[in-house]
Structure formats: structure tokens, C-alpha cells
Amino acid sequence: MAEEKKYKKPIPRVDEESRPFWEACARHELYVQKCRSCGKVFYYARSFCPEDLSQDLEWVKCSGKGKVYTFTVTRQNQGAGFRDNLPYVMAYVELDEGVRMLTNIVDCKPEEVKIGMPVEVTFEDATPEISIPLFRPAGK
Amino acid sequence: MSITGKAAIAGVYEHPLRLAPHKTQYQIMAESARGALEDAGLTLKDVDGLFTSGVGGMGIVSLAEHLNLYPDYLDSNSIGGSSFVSHTGHAAAAIAAGYCNVALILYGSTWSSDRFAIGTGGGGGSDPPEHFESTYGPTTVGDYALVAQRHMHEFGTTGAQLAEIAVTMRKHASLNPLAKFRDPITVEDVLASRVVSSPLHLLDCCMISDGGGAIVVTSAERARDLKKKPVSILSAAETCYHTSAGMRDLTNAAAKQSGPKALARAGLAHKDIDMAMIYDSFTITVCVTLESLGFCKKGEGGSFVQNGRIGLGGELPINTDGGGLSSNHPGMRGIFLVIEATKQLRGECGDRQVKDCQLALCHGTGGTLGLRHSGATLVLGV
Ligand SMILES: [Zn+2]
């Protein structure tokens, strides 16, 4: 008998461009990238700088802190893993490092979420290899 | 080389069905082709350019086979709902370049009968950015809701202002015998409808229908000798907008780049436009698109749509057919923007006719405002 999968939402694919990002997430660390050639900080993970195609990049460890840039409380989604978890909060969080990433806000009531609210990263272990970066109210 | 005035829309057809469980997608396309060719006074054998979207990877070749056509020019640019607006511009360019002479643009869909959850499905493609998104549950409604929430926060836009857009589209639909939803609604009705993804209510969202349509584009010269008054293609422009490597600006849309470019290429200003067809996947789409196109300042979309300005008889009537909010939305609505604008410019719209309609602007948005989308603008005139 196949064991029922615990994490039913789509699991990100780890590929040659994104492997270091997801390996860091598995250690519960959040990284963005910076181009050594032009200084651009960017998200999501790539093997080149999306400003000048330079491959001279560095990984920058994030403080894990940021603010809610915008959000929505989703009350309808038939997709596997979502329909049993309604409502949920999807948001763009602006990291202190300056980039905005799509995520979920967790560990609070949906009605408590506000734009500008300080949040910090937390991780949900989807599989032994993949942990998903999520955000919760800072200092909670 | 400019395309201005080189090509014209000679025929259009909007499939009348909103629910077609007894028809296939290709059947809807073939019936629409017949309608538009009849409208133009042309036959299938005149067609030497074929355009479509919403088919499989090589679906346009199957479509040519289905119609037994051997076109000289093929284009199945698939950039979401705006595809057919884009095709119309591409067809004009191909005709101006002499690559084809009679372009047939086709769309057919049975997404309503197929019960395809386009708005509230789980998402989950396999392009690189999607691996950083799908696990967070970005539904189509949710992606647009992210923009609405930010717009409200930055500019004080209200739910009642967005609702005004849905109310106006419904009013227009009541004058369109083909429209699916024709009973009037109020701002209160919109605000009282259930929240699908905050701050968007059910009545802020377009419907899912079946349907399709067709457009015939030919050279200006040939169009002059055909059955209907030619509608001149004055200009086109397109682009895309996305998460910008992490610096996503949520209150602007692709229209900000394509809109001013299209107007400049036509040598026109906003005040010259008599009516506009603005892709209304959601009320917020109209608000942000009007701002990005430059019909009002950024942040002023909420007040712009109030007091009848975008209704028939207003300063800028939009979506006179009732839009995706009230007429039809088989998944990709771009073709209907061009069809309705053409009918308005020909003066064929009866109760919903815009008076002295000489210049129309169409803008299609494909994909989602909050993640990535395409935008295609088209300026038409008579
Ligand atoms: Zn760089």
C-alpha cells in the first residue's frame, strides 16, 4: 500500500539553476542572489544575472525579515492540498534585502494580515529534500 | 514600415452560443470561419493566412487540416486572452509585407462544458518561475486579487468603485441579445456576492462560457470592394509584464508600454478614441488597464469608472457588448474585443451603438496581472 502523501500541493522542481536555493531552504535558510558584475539583487533563482547575463553570482543569506507588500485571502481553490486548507493567505512579501517574493502568510488568522505588517520566514517541510519558505507575523 | 491603413477588417463573426456541450472546439471554429467569411463576402478558398490560439502545440496545423487549407502564413502566438488582439496586428503586418492577402483568425472553446476551473484551479505549470509560485496556491482570481488589494492600499480605491465596472458591463449586456447575463445588478449586489479571493467578490469576476469567433483581415485595397464597410487597422503594439526578477510593480500593467506606443503609431491621442474594448477578466483588470493605457492618471482608475463615464453615452464607453463580466468569456476573450469594436465602427450595434463611432481602441490582457501577463493594443478606425 502506497503511503498517503502528506504534502499535496505542487512540489517545486529542483534543477541546476535552483538547486542551491532549495538546498538552503532544506536547512531552513533563505537566500537571494546578487550579481558581482552589476550588483543586482534578484529572486527567483537563476544561473545568470537577469540584468546582464553575467554568471559571476553570489548567494546572499537573508535576514528572513520583511513586510507584507500585498495579500489575498483565497476562499475557493479546488486544487489538491488547497481545497482542504481554505481559506489561506497568499502574499507578496518584500524582504529586507529588497526583493518581493510570492509566499503564504501562516500562523495567524487571515483577518489579522495587513499590508505593511512585519513578518519573518518559517519553513514547512514538504519532503525530506524540499522545505517551503513561508512567512508568519514577526516575533510571534 | 508602418502598417497604418494597409490592412482592414473585412469580416467578423461572434459565435452565438454560450454553452455548447454538443459541439467541439474545432466545430465552433469552423462555424465561426463560415460566419466571418460570409460577412466579408469571401470564401474559404480565398484564405491564405491562418491564425489561432488555445489549440495544442501544433494545433494550428491540425486546424489547417480540419479546414483543408494550405495557408502561406501561419501564426499561433499564444499569449493568453490577448492572443487574438495580437493576431490582428500580426495579420496586418503580414498583409502589409505581402506575405498573405486574406487572414483568418479563429477561436473556439468549450471550457464551460468541460468544467475547466480556469479561475479557481490549483495552478502548477512547469516553467521556471512557476516552481517558485505554484505551491502557494496562486489561482487566477487570487493573482488579480493581489493587485486589487495593493491598489486599494496605495490609492484608496474602493470595492464600490470596482463594482461600478461590473454594474456598467451588466447594463451594456442588457442591450446585447447574445449576452449571457442580462438582468441588471447594483453596486450593492456586487459587494454582497461571496468573496472568492479578497478583495474580489464573485461579481468582480468574469464568467466561464463556451464560444468562439472569427475575424477576416485583408488588404485595404481588397477590403474596399467587399461586402461590408472596411474597418481600418491603424496600429498595434504588444508586450509582456512579469515579476521583474523580484521587483514586481503590481499597480502597472503591460498596457503601460503597448498603449501609448499603439496610439503614437496611429498618430492619435486618448481624446480621439470614441470607444474602447478593455479585457475585463476582473473589475480590477479594467481599472488598472485604463490607468496603464493612460486614459487616466495612475491611481485614479477607481474614480474614472464612476458616474457613467465608461457607460454608453459617457465620455469613454467600454465593453459595449457586456464584456467577459456579462456577455461571454470562453477562457480567452481577445477576439470578442476586436469583433465588438468592428461592429461599433460599422454602426451595427443597434440599441448599444456608440454615436458617431469612428475610432476604437482594443486592449487584451492575457495571463494574470499579479504574476505575469501579456498585453496587446489595437487601434481601429473608419
Ligand atoms: Zn548583473
Side-chain angles (χ1 to χ4, degrees), chain B residues 85-105:
Chain B
V85 181
S86 159
H87 292 159
T88 308
H90 292 192
I95 288 163
Y99 284 9
C100 63
N101 195 254
V102 175
L104 179 61
I105 302 165

Side-chain angles (χ1 to χ4, degrees), chain A residues 34-40 42 48-54 56-57:
Chain A
K34 185 175 179 181
C35 175
R36 287 203 183 97
S37 158
C38 75
K40 185 172 179 72
F42 59 93
F48 60 91
C49 167
E51 199 69 28
D52 58 10
L53 297 180
S54 166
D56 188 10
L57 309 175

Side-chain angles (χ1 to χ4, degrees), chain A residues 7 70 72 76 78 88 92 100, chain B residues 135 137 146 194 198 248 370:
Chain A
Y7 192 85
T70 189
T72 179
Q76 190 179 339
Q78 293 97 311
Y88 61 89
Y92 272 109
R100 294 169 193 153
Chain B
T135 204
L146 291 170
R194 74 186 159 83
S198 70
R248 187 63 165 97

Side-chain angles (χ1 to χ4, degrees), chain A residues 6-7 11-12 124-128 130-132:
Chain A
K6 235 172 61 196
Y7 192 85
I11 292 173
E124 178 177 3
D125 299 326
T127 72
I130 298 286
S131 297
I132 309 293

